[in-house]
Amino acid sequence: MTDDVTMIKTTGPNGAVSYRSMGDRDTTAQAIDRVADAAKKLVDTFRSDADLSKLPVDISGVLQSACSDIVTTPGTAYVAKVTAEAHLANDVMYPAGRERLAKQEIGDAMAQITESLDSAEAKIDIADALLYQVARPAMPSGADVAAREDARMRLDRIETAGEIGQVVKELAARNDAVGALVTDSAWLRLYLDSRKVDSKTADAIQVMVRAAMLPAATESGDPQRAAAARTALALVNLRKAVIAARSYQRNVL
């Protein structure tokens, strides 16, 4: 240490002592605060881009709950950090007692935050699956047989898995019975299995189908389909928000 730099002594919950300059501490704190801000902004962006008001209440409710799970975690982490530091600074207690209380505070917060963020991820996954089904074209009554014939007429003559994927992607963007058929994950999986497409490629094709269907659904003219598609596309921001919240947790606790 040098005399012309103000050094900050920090004692961690495990009793380890470290020193940082005031400037380093401020820069680090600002960077960590920006991570918390990023989590909140990503949730706000999701809410702005999504269209929850036109969705079934079970889907919108799950997503609202996931948003709440995410935005509350930085506050939980910060309060635990401040409380733990207060325990460590309490010089009327023996060091062992201070450390035990600080560890308990941090441990409880870690468990609570992890549970909240795991819950948020599970809710996002559930909503994602439900949104996909709502965003898909509806199969008109009695049109399934003709749709299968039309789809197979396009697909059966193709030899490579890559070409199959490209044609399936084109068909998935249709807002008709054929589009309803190829965006049916169960039917598509069975078809790809029958064509001996390996599982890794089949998974990639399913992703391509989703990527083609959702933008088309936003332009379908069906308000609920369009809302589901917009919300499904916006889920990327919620997933990023979970990552940011976990990063804040790691850096603060």
Side-chain angles (χ1 to χ4, degrees):
M1 289 182 286
T2 60
D3 293 337
D4 59 340
V5 177
T6 301
M7 302 302 293
I8 307 300
K9 177 181 177 182
T10 302
T11 304
N14 61 355
V17 175
S18 62
Y19 291 88
R20 286 184 298 171
S21 73
M22 178 71 80
D24 288 343
R25 187 195 67 171
D26 290 346
T27 300
T28 301
Q30 289 170 7
I32 293 172
D33 287 345
R34 283 196 292 271
V35 175
D37 290 341
K40 183 180 183 301
K41 287 178 181 177
L42 285 163
V43 172
D44 289 342
T45 300
F46 163 76
R47 286 174 167 153
S48 175
D49 292 346
D51 197 350
L52 301 181
S53 64
K54 294 186 180 68
L55 295 177
V57 67
D58 57 333
I59 301 177
S60 60
V62 165
L63 288 171
Q64 293 285 18
S65 180
C67 290
S68 296
D69 288 339
I70 297 167
V71 298
T72 58
T73 55
T76 301
Y78 180 77
V79 169
K81 171 182 176 292
V82 171
T83 304
E85 289 175 346
H87 288 316
L88 292 172
N90 185 358
D91 57 8
V92 302
M93 294 181 65
Y94 287 110
R98 302 179 211 166
E99 292 166 13
R100 179 178 59 79
L101 289 174
K103 286 180 180 178
Q104 181 177 340
E105 189 70 35
I106 296 297
D108 289 348
M110 288 284 284
Q112 181 181 343
I113 293 169
T114 298
E115 181 180 0
S116 292
L117 295 178
D118 287 350
S119 174
E121 285 188 322
K123 291 168 184 174
I124 293 168
D125 288 341
I126 291 169
D128 199 4
L130 295 173
L131 288 166
Y132 183 85
Q133 294 305 318
V134 176
R136 284 179 54 221
M139 176 67 76
S141 178
D144 54 325
V145 174
R148 281 195 294 273
E149 290 177 355
D150 288 350
R152 296 191 73 106
M153 219 164 32
R154 289 285 310 275
L155 295 168
D156 286 353
R157 57 195 175 94
I158 297 172
E159 295 183 1
T160 69
E163 290 175 315
I164 291 174
Q166 287 302 317
V167 174
V168 168
K169 181 180 176 181
E170 293 173 14
L171 298 178
R174 291 169 53 168
N175 290 310
D176 58 8
V178 174
L181 180 69
V182 298
T183 56
D184 180 340
S185 301
W187 180 87
L188 183 56
R189 179 67 68 177
L190 286 173
Y191 179 80
L192 296 176
D193 285 347
S194 75
R195 295 295 307 275
K196 306 295 191 238
V197 176
D198 66 89
S199 60
K200 186 175 181 180
T201 303
D203 288 343
I205 291 173
Q206 295 273 15
V207 173
M208 291 168 62
V209 165
R210 171 189 167 88
M213 184 273 287
L214 291 177
T218 64
E219 305 294 333
S220 66
D222 181 323
Q224 192 168 80
R225 279 191 65 204
R230 284 194 292 270
T231 304
L233 290 169
L235 286 179
V236 64
N237 292 304
L238 272 195
R239 297 190 189 280
K240 289 179 180 179
V242 172
I243 294 171
R246 289 195 192 279
S247 177
Y248 185 78
Q249 173 192 15
R250 288 193 301 271
N251 283 283
V252 169
L253 301 180

